[in-house]
Amino acid sequence: MFRKFRDLYQNLFRWCLFLGLGFGSSAMGQEVTRTINILSDTSPYNREVMPLLWWSIGLSVLVLGGTGAALIYVVQKFRLRPTTVGEPAQFHGNNLLEMVLLGIPLVMVAVLSILTAQTLTRVNSIPKTGTLKVDVTGAQFWWDFNYPDLKIHTSNELVIQVGVPIELTVTSADVIHDFWITSLGAKRDAIPGQKAHFALTAEKPGVYYGQCLALCGASHANMRFHVVALSPEDFSAWKTKAIAYKPEPVATDSQIAAGRALFEGKGNCSGCHAIQGTAARGVVAPALSYFGDHMYLGAGIFKNERPKVKEWILNASKIKPGALMPSYDGTINTNMKNPQVPSLLTDPELESIAVYLESNKLGSDWRKKFGNEEY
Amino acid sequence: MTVQLPHNTNIDRKPNIWAILWDYMTTGDHKKIGILYMATSVVGFAVAGILALMIRVQLAVPNNTFLVGQQYNEVLTLHAVLMLFFFIIPFGLVGFGNYFLPLHLGERDVALPRVNTFGYWLFLFSLVLVIFSLFKGGPASAGWTFYYPISQQGGTGTDSLMIALILNGIASLLGAANFCATILNLRAKGMGVWKMSVFSWSIFATSILQLVALGGLTSAALMTLLERKLGITMFNSDAGGVPVLMQQFFWFYSHPAVYVMLLPYLGVAAEIASTFSKKPLFGYRVMVYSILGITLIGLIVWVHHIFAVSLPDSWQIAFAVATMLVGVPTGAKLFNLIGTMWGGHIILKAPMYWLIGFIFNFIIGGITGITLGLIPFDYQVTQTYYVVAHFHNVLMFGTAYLVMGGLYYWWPKMTGRMMSEKLGLWHFWLFIIGSWLTFMPQYVLGLLGMPRRYYTYPDGNYLWNELNMLSTVGAFVLGIGGIFWIWNMLSSFAKPKDAGDNPWGGFTLEWATSSPPAAQNFTVKLPNVFPTERPLYDWNKMGLKLEPDHSHVHLPDATVWPFMSAVGLLIMSVGLAFGWDKINPNDVASTWLPWGIATAAVGLVWLVVSLFRWAGTSEYSTPVHHHVLTKYSNGQLGMMWFIVSEVGLFSVLIAGYIYLRLTGHANPPLERPAVWLAAINTMLLVSSSFVLHYAEKHLEQGRATRFTLGLFVTMAMGALFFLFQIFEFVLFGNEVNWTKDIWASCFLTIVGLHGVHIVIGAVGVGLPYYQMLTGKINKHEHGSIIPASLYWHLVDVVWILIVAIFYIW
């Protein structure tokens, strides 16, 4: 049953350790460590929500403390003891007390309602100017990002600037997804045929963890993404490079050239994928323009390393359930609506394609810049 | 004492298993039906619990491979469907409700015993349909919420789930209408509604809620099914539809459903609190008003499930306020439970433990529920484990504790045996520890950003591994607690009957019966005075003795035809669900249509034959007249309440159409269905209503021939109407491509559904016609004509509305 039975034991061990040492090193031996906490005050959105939360926590303590204490008192004081005799007083209620007990929660509800309405209008407002516009499209099981003003198109890894509100327009190409940059605040459903519109701001440069939050099929859990937030200088440098990006028309490296030929020819990858500055203009699959810079493969689930890339191309649905990419190992991907008889790719051919994909980059090494921390 | 019992309960020899089975298939006894519901729900809980353990095994460690991808989604969907529709909803409403409502009211049975039998078997067959889908075509995997358009992907499991939900809904509505009629028509002489037990009130309120709101779920399931099978759609954005409309339909029921799950158990809680504190309820009227308040406000909070779909801010705020407001009456209930215990002599036995556990846990669940109404915070935590923790907090270690409480409380009454107190406390403490260990870490996981419905999660997220492992350990503690529970129930049967009639010293009427109660429930004559909701206490104080009852008792005869009718519906549903995949209008040959149509047709014939046989079997072996409290007969009152649900169903669908029309999504085509045809049809239907009305009048005056003729003419006009409508559909269907036209889809759905109602109504009129021909109706015996004609008039009124919104507008 468990392919990773050993992991279970390791985790049990780690769990005991965790109980023993308190909230110690939770992610021992991990390369990437993520500290995701929606209550952390590192984003403006979370700070907006904080007062609301403090109010509700305060009121909760009152309610739970009051009723909990009453309950414990009642059970302790009035439990039937061997010495108890006779019949308890048969009273039927107390209207004044009822009124008070209805009044208190009504006041609490009124306070929370007003605070909610005020906070909501603030967090749902979008600045008229000075935003960075990004169109987000969810699809089974990846994310597409378009910067309508900058004419940049990328997928699964979004690059933004800190301090600038990101004006997001979220929609879907197939079923309903839900777009959430976990540590930055609000989420919105990505619904086919309609557009959700909202703004978020990052303040701290770094890599942010994003996820799909609406059950969307077999790989709902594998529909993640990452957001790289850059300082204004870094962002403007990246932007300039991205807009100008164009691979060499004829690659000097023969393997890259072979990879490109396969990508646009035998593999017919370009039918679905786009690479800026080439004949590859497909839109039904993630854009691979700056794939060499990407930290992850397969919508944030695997590290972007050549062996994994090759494994992916050979049969994506084998390592990501429900993936809608044709396989190149002679099998037919039945997840696809119109599965086609695929062409076979040999190992050297896979290697060439992987090398070509790696060569598509702007030279930004986010891991080097930000380390293995994610938020 | 002469008790005229149904023949088959006359047990002279030791009954074999088949005799018992036959008895349960044919009985109209509310106690047996209640037991069937409860037993089925226990099985549902057990299976869903095992599925939950599988889920927790998969999530115990990151990157686990026990249940991957679609398989996980299937388990997740089935877990939720079973827990909600086959455990928590039926256990309280139709399980406890059937068994104890008539007892609390001091009556012999519910208003319509045979409808009750039919309801149970339909409920069971809806479960059979869900299970059937495991073996053919792949089970549903879109979550119990089956959002559009993910619900359009996947195999026939989703089709069968949709049909199962509709059948389950019909069963539930029949039960709810039956309860309403029972409460209004059958109460012990002298018992006013304000002297009913709070449990009876809670069943009443829940039934009303079910009748008003269930149309939302039925509409969502129906539209999902129609698009899957025929491409008829209101939601498809490619054709101009609105996917979120499905969520509005769905949550219009599924939020009130939360109160359908809760309210009966709040009634149980009140009974336990009063009995175990030896005191009357604190603030009886406030408790009743709270129940009614929850019912009312619960209907207008559903949007809080879908704040993240980007509705206008003002709408979100309105629903958020209502969401927080519903906490006020719910809080009042909890305060009053504590108030009831205040100053009492609290007997700390198993049922009381469950009640105390419930109150404490439910306060926490209530508070986290309020936080979900804080919209900006909701934007963060919605669809995360915070929500998972919240709803398990209120359902699993809130409401389900009262399932246990009620079961421990009433077990001696139902079986005559006490459950072991020691095992009961083991069960309780394991459940307390297990549920806190399972679900409290999930609150934290939500705040740390873990999404719900993920089959896997990456290594390296702060505390995710530890908290998930903790949660899995807790789930197994719960599992062990469950074993103690089952063991406790089974081992009690090994003992002799040791409970006595009133082991807890309760003061409501069920404790005035033997344990288990006799077939006719009460063997004593109940006094006619009810000073408070605790009659046994009052009578004792007043010095009134319960004298043995020497009057004649008439109980309904057993019949197999309600069961057979449900079998017919099951066969029909199997044909409809599995008979074919999507019909492509251009490619009919690619489907296995004939098999499906044939099966469905066999089921339909089976159903109709069974219904007629049912109508042809008298309920009592000798004609009797029962005293009822209102001027309406039981059948009439039941139908009036059932009609509430029909109005609800059409209202939801029509509201959907009007919304689509007003927002420009559903624009009528240039070639509209012909108005002259509609005019003829309107004439036909309106005059048929008059004919039926006069036929009834003739019956009252004893003019049998005219009555028979009137029914015949009504049915003939109905048939003519239906033929015209088929003609119209064929004409219109050829002109439009309904898979691309939202208006046409709305038209076909709503007018088509009305057509189905015409058929049902005509069969309904056919039943008294058949009763007339076989001599079962006369001047005094009206058979089923009154409910049938009520239903026919309803169908008529709906048609006039349809003419207005589709042909004239």
Side-chain angles (χ1 to χ4, degrees):
Chain A
M1 278 175 159
F2 289 102
R3 265 224 309 263
K4 304 207 167 173
F5 215 90
R6 215 183 34 181
D7 283 10
L8 184 71
Y9 284 107
Q10 282 177 352
N11 246 61
L12 261 175
F13 174 72
R14 189 186 293 165
W15 173 64
C16 295
L17 204 69
F18 150 75
L19 279 187
L21 299 177
F23 290 71
S25 51
S26 79
M28 291 154 56
Q30 287 314 309
E31 290 192 6
V32 176
T33 56
R34 292 181 202 89
T35 318
I36 312 162
N37 180 358
I38 63 171
L39 301 180
S40 91
D41 57 359
T42 49
S43 93
Y45 186 96
N46 295 1
R47 282 202 299 277
E48 283 282 4
V49 177
M50 270 300 149
L52 195 55
L53 273 187
W54 280 117
W55 269 97
S56 64
I57 289 170
L59 296 177
S60 303
V61 169
L62 277 181
V63 171
L64 186 61
T67 39
L71 186 64
I72 292 167
Y73 173 77
V74 162
V75 174
Q76 282 310 316
K77 168 91 179 171
F78 300 113
R79 63 187 295 181
L80 188 69
R81 295 189 164 81
T83 53
T84 318
V85 285
E87 185 185 75
Q90 302 288 306
F91 58 91
H92 287 266
N94 180 332
N95 283 343
L96 183 68
L97 185 63
E98 297 274 14
M99 285 302 158
V100 174
L101 289 180
L102 279 173
I104 294 173
L106 268 177
V107 172
M108 293 181 175
V109 165
V111 170
L112 289 176
S113 299
I114 293 167
L115 285 172
T116 300
Q118 288 175 336
T119 316
L120 183 73
T121 34
R122 277 202 300 275
V123 300
N124 273 0
S125 66
I126 302 169
K128 291 264 184 305
T129 54
T131 61
L132 173 65
K133 287 200 174 84
V134 178
D135 294 343
V136 178
T137 307
Q140 285 176 324
F141 300 95
W142 58 281
W143 294 96
D144 205 28
F145 303 116
N146 272 292
Y147 302 69
D149 297 338
L150 306 178
K151 310 281 176 231
I152 299 174
H153 176 205
T154 171
S155 299
N156 293 329
E157 289 187 14
L158 174 67
V159 180
I160 62 169
Q161 181 181 342
V162 296
V164 170
I166 313 304
E167 191 178 337
L168 295 151
T169 307
V170 181
T171 187
S172 166
D174 40 48
V175 303
I176 293 176
H177 304 279
D178 186 296
F179 179 82
W180 194 28
I181 310 169
T182 314
S183 296
L184 286 190
K187 61 172 76 72
R188 283 293 187 280
D189 284 353
I191 300 167
Q194 75 184 57
K195 292 185 163 98
H197 208 54
F198 71 121
L200 290 172
T201 313
E203 285 180 345
K204 194 169 148 193
V207 180
Y208 290 84
Y209 184 66
Q211 339 181 51
C212 173
L213 264 286
L215 180 63
C216 59
S219 262
H220 167 49
N222 299 322
M223 190 174 160
R224 304 172 220 155
F225 61 96
H226 291 79
V227 176
V228 180
L230 299 175
S231 64
E233 308 80 59
D234 287 348
F235 182 76
S236 111
W238 176 84
K239 185 172 75 180
T240 317
K241 271 195 276 182
I243 292 171
Y245 178 76
K246 204 170 185 185
E248 303 170 73
V250 183
T252 41
D253 183 319
S254 63
Q255 202 172 16
I256 294 179
R260 179 167 174 175
L262 287 164
F263 191 88
E264 290 167 12
K266 182 178 174 191
N268 195 21
C269 313
S270 54
C272 302
H273 294 279
I275 292 180
Q276 192 177 328
T278 74
R281 300 268 163 79
V283 289
V284 297
L288 299 172
S289 298
Y290 328 116
F291 185 77
D293 291 341
H294 280 203
M295 297 166 286
Y296 292 94
L297 162 73
I301 55 173
F302 301 113
K303 269 204 284 185
N304 186 4
E305 286 164 342
R306 196 178 298 170
K308 207 72 197 178
V309 174
K310 283 165 64 181
E311 205 183 326
W312 177 275
I313 299 171
L314 194 62
N315 191 338
S317 64
K318 202 161 139 192
I319 55 177
K320 177 170 174 174
L324 297 171
M325 176 162 150
S327 45
Y328 293 91
D329 59 358
T331 60
I332 288 174
N333 183 355
T334 49
N335 299 314
M336 298 174 68
K337 242 182 209 158
N338 305 306
Q340 282 148 20
V341 182
S343 42
L344 290 165
L345 290 176
T346 63
D347 194 62
E349 286 174 331
L350 291 170
E351 183 83 13
S352 303
I353 295 176
V355 169
Y356 167 61
L357 292 177
E358 271 171 42
S359 75
N360 285 298
K361 62 180 169 191
L362 306 173
S364 344
D365 190 340
W366 310 125
R367 283 276 169 248
K368 204 164 144 197
K369 193 169 181 62
F370 297 115
N372 286 333
E373 285 286 313
E374 287 179 10
Y375 307 107
Chain B
M1 184 175 124
T2 7
V3 176
Q4 187 194 357
L5 294 175
H7 311 302
N8 57 350
T9 51
N10 187 8
I11 302 164
D12 291 330
R13 57 195 165 79
K14 198 172 160 36
N16 63 28
I17 181 87
W18 298 111
I20 294 175
L21 195 65
W22 178 255
D23 179 26
Y24 274 86
M25 275 158 56
T26 56
T27 185
D29 184 340
H30 69 100
K31 298 182 290 296
K32 287 177 184 163
I33 292 169
I35 285 174
L36 285 173
Y37 272 117
M38 285 185 252
T40 314
S41 305
V42 168
V43 173
F45 185 47
V47 176
I50 291 167
L51 294 171
L53 287 181
M54 289 166 68
I55 290 175
R56 284 316 318 169
V57 167
Q58 164 63 17
L59 293 178
V61 293
N63 301 317
N64 202 359
T65 50
F66 176 59
L67 285 176
V68 168
Q70 211 60 2
Q71 220 180 0
Y72 180 86
N73 294 347
E74 288 161 6
V75 169
L76 167 103
T77 305
L78 198 58
H79 163 73
V81 166
L82 291 182
M83 278 292 187
L84 297 174
F85 295 108
F86 298 97
F87 167 58
I88 200 91
I89 293 180
F91 209 114
L93 180 59
V94 280
F96 287 150
N98 262 313
Y99 201 107
F100 291 103
L101 182 68
L103 291 178
H104 272 215
L105 298 176
E107 279 294 336
R108 305 261 180 244
D109 208 324
V110 291
L112 304 162
R114 292 182 169 183
V115 173
N116 211 11
T117 316
F118 174 67
Y120 168 72
W121 290 105
L122 198 54
F123 163 81
L124 182 73
F125 293 151
S126 72
L127 179 60
V128 168
L129 259 186
V130 172
I131 291 171
F132 205 94
S133 74
L134 299 178
F135 304 104
K136 186 176 165 3
S141 60
W144 81 280
T145 50
F146 61 94
Y147 276 5
Y148 185 89
I150 186 76
S151 61
Q152 297 301 316
Q153 301 181 348
T156 43
T158 312
D159 300 302
S160 78
L161 177 63
M162 293 306 107
I163 296 179
L165 288 182
I166 293 171
L167 293 190
N168 189 295
I170 295 171
S172 194
L173 292 173
L174 292 173
N178 207 343
F179 286 150
C180 288
T182 307
I183 287 168
L184 294 181
N185 246 359
L186 303 174
R187 293 189 306 274
K189 227 176 237 168
M191 186 194 275
V193 285
W194 289 104
K195 304 300 172 202
M196 295 195 308
S197 64
V198 168
F199 175 73
S200 308
W201 269 109
S202 69
I203 294 293
F204 190 26
T206 312
S207 300
I208 294 175
L209 194 55
Q210 194 78 329
L211 289 166
V212 171
L214 200 92
L217 180 71
T218 312
S219 304
L222 182 69
M223 290 313 301
T224 303
L225 184 70
L226 284 179
E227 179 159 352
R228 287 184 62 95
K229 292 301 194 196
L230 303 167
I232 291 178
T233 179
M234 282 166 115
F235 311 138
N236 188 350
S237 57
D238 288 339
V242 178
V244 173
L245 190 59
M246 182 270 158
Q247 300 181 20
Q248 304 274 17
F249 284 0
F250 179 81
W251 289 115
F252 176 75
Y253 170 69
S254 294
H255 190 82
V258 172
Y259 301 105
V260 172
M261 297 168 206
L262 174 67
L263 288 179
Y265 301 106
L266 285 181
V268 175
E271 301 306 323
I272 295 177
S274 172
T275 299
F276 281 77
S277 309
K278 305 263 159 232
K279 270 185 65 221
L281 285 166
F282 185 87
Y284 168 86
R285 283 210 176 215
V286 177
M287 288 190 105
V288 173
Y289 283 128
S290 299
I291 292 177
L292 298 177
I294 294 172
T295 307
L296 208 63
I297 306 177
L299 280 168
I300 50 167
V301 302
W302 79 90
V303 163
H304 71 219
H305 292 269
I306 52 174
F307 281 147
V309 301
S310 327
L311 295 165
D313 284 0
S314 48
W315 280 89
Q316 298 190 39
I317 290 169
F319 278 94
V321 172
T323 300
M324 291 188 242
L325 214 53
V326 84
V328 175
T330 316
K333 295 287 297 182
L334 297 182
F335 295 144
N336 283 9
L337 288 175
I338 297 177
T340 304
M341 290 154 67
W342 194 286
H345 292 168
I346 301 170
I347 309 165
L348 276 183
K349 288 276 178 64
M352 200 60 189
Y353 275 92
W354 289 108
L355 174 67
I356 295 166
F358 160 80
I359 295 176
F360 191 72
N361 290 336
F362 200 81
I363 295 169
I364 301 174
I367 288 172
T368 56
I370 297 280
T371 62
L372 288 170
L374 311 171
I375 309 167
F377 179 64
D378 182 86
Y379 285 158
Q380 294 179 302
V381 292
T382 186
Q383 304 279 23
T384 69
Y385 262 87
Y386 188 87
V387 172
V388 175
H390 162 71
F391 66 69
H392 283 94
N393 194 161
V394 287
L395 290 177
M396 173 57 211
F397 58 122
T399 312
Y401 274 33
L402 289 178
V403 175
M404 299 306 165
L407 204 59
Y408 278 84
Y409 179 53
W410 278 323
W411 188 262
K413 180 52 63 190
M414 294 188 289
T415 64
R417 298 168 170 88
M418 302 298 286
M419 278 210 261
S420 155
E421 188 64 20
K422 198 174 160 194
L423 289 178
L425 290 189
W426 270 98
H427 173 201
F428 172 75
W429 286 112
L430 283 169
F431 258 47
I432 281 273
I433 296 169
S435 32
W436 273 63
L437 209 54
T438 311
F439 299 110
M440 287 304 163
Q442 295 184 356
Y443 276 120
V444 185
L445 273 172
L447 296 176
L448 296 179
M450 180 158 170
R452 68 188 283 207
R453 294 171 161 175
Y454 265 28
Y455 78 84
T456 186
Y457 54 95
D459 207 349
N461 291 1
Y462 177 63
L463 282 185
W464 281 26
N465 299 4
E466 290 80 357
L467 291 170
N468 271 304
M469 177 53 79
L470 217 54
S471 184
T472 301
V473 172
F476 277 92
V477 175
L478 274 176
I480 296 167
I483 294 171
F484 273 89
W485 170 44
I486 303 279
W487 182 21
N488 200 355
M489 290 197 293
L490 293 181
S491 63
S492 80
F493 286 110
K495 306 186 297 184
K497 293 187 178 177
D498 59 350
D501 289 350
N502 193 353
W504 311 116
F507 292 122
T508 34
L509 286 180
E510 79 270 34
W511 304 111
T513 63
S514 56
S515 298
Q520 75 273 31
N521 291 348
F522 294 93
T523 53
V524 291
K525 194 165 164 44
L526 301 174
N528 292 344
V529 282
F530 288 83
T532 70
E533 77 282 0
R534 292 191 309 165
L536 295 188
Y537 181 88
D538 301 326
W539 294 340
N540 191 29
K541 283 279 158 190
M542 295 158 81
L544 292 173
K545 292 267 178 300
L546 300 180
E547 304 293 340
D549 187 2
H550 295 292
S551 60
H552 289 273
V553 175
H554 301 279
L555 292 177
D557 278 350
T559 168
V560 77
W561 296 109
F563 171 84
M564 286 305 203
S565 306
V567 171
L569 267 173
L570 174 67
I571 298 172
M572 203 169 121
S573 305
V574 168
L576 291 176
F578 302 103
W580 68 87
D581 289 335
K582 191 169 193 156
I583 295 183
N584 185 340
N586 308 321
D587 186 17
V588 178
S590 69
T591 60
W592 14 324
L593 197 55
W595 180 86
I597 290 288
T599 313
V602 169
L604 184 63
V605 172
W606 187 309
L607 168 68
V608 171
V609 170
S610 304
L611 280 176
F612 276 89
R613 296 296 299 269
W614 175 358
T617 342
S618 332
E619 195 157 2
Y620 297 92
S621 39
T622 50
V624 279
H625 268 281
H626 287 276
H627 175 73
V628 292
L629 293 170
T630 62
K631 62 178 175 176
Y632 308 112
S633 70
N634 286 339
Q636 192 174 3
L637 205 54
M639 180 52 83
M640 284 170 166
W641 282 102
F642 186 76
I643 281 176
V644 171
S645 76
E646 294 283 7
V647 171
L649 174 62
F650 276 103
S651 301
V652 169
L653 283 169
I654 288 174
Y657 161 69
I658 291 176
Y659 165 78
L660 290 169
R661 184 80 188 267
L662 290 177
T663 52
H665 291 93
N667 300 314
L670 292 174
E671 282 289 319
R672 300 263 286 257
V675 180
W676 62 268
L677 209 52
I680 295 180
N681 266 346
T682 311
M683 291 284 288
L684 273 174
L685 216 49
V686 171
S687 20
S688 76
S689 253
F690 279 103
V691 172
L692 190 56
H693 181 72
Y694 284 112
E696 266 185 274
K697 287 271 172 270
H698 286 306
L699 178 66
E700 279 164 26
Q701 289 151 13
R703 290 196 282 265
T705 326
R706 291 190 179 190
F707 171 69
T708 320
L709 183 66
L711 294 191
F712 183 80
V713 171
T714 306
M715 285 187 290
M717 285 169 131
L720 212 55
F721 174 95
F722 193 65
L723 286 178
F724 275 141
Q725 211 168 45
I726 290 176
F727 172 64
E728 178 184 42
F729 269 39
V730 170
L731 276 188
F732 186 60
N734 282 336
E735 278 167 17
V736 296
N737 180 354
W738 65 77
T739 62
K740 296 267 183 284
D741 186 332
I742 297 295
W743 193 91
S745 277
C746 291
F747 175 83
L748 291 176
T749 304
I750 296 171
V751 180
L753 186 65
H754 177 263
V756 172
H757 279 72
I758 288 280
V759 175
I760 299 171
V763 172
V765 175
L767 297 177
Y769 184 73
Y770 173 72
Q771 287 170 334
M772 189 72 216
L773 294 184
T774 49
K776 292 193 178 61
I777 288 187
N778 55 47
K779 194 173 173 182
H780 305 291
E781 286 295 319
H782 289 184
S784 57
I785 176 64
I786 299 175
S789 77
L790 267 178
Y791 195 84
W792 191 257
H793 297 320
L794 162 84
V795 173
D796 192 355
V797 171
V798 171
W799 173 252
I800 291 173
L801 194 63
I802 285 177
V803 171
I805 59 170
F806 280 110
Y807 293 90
I808 297 173
W809 182 21

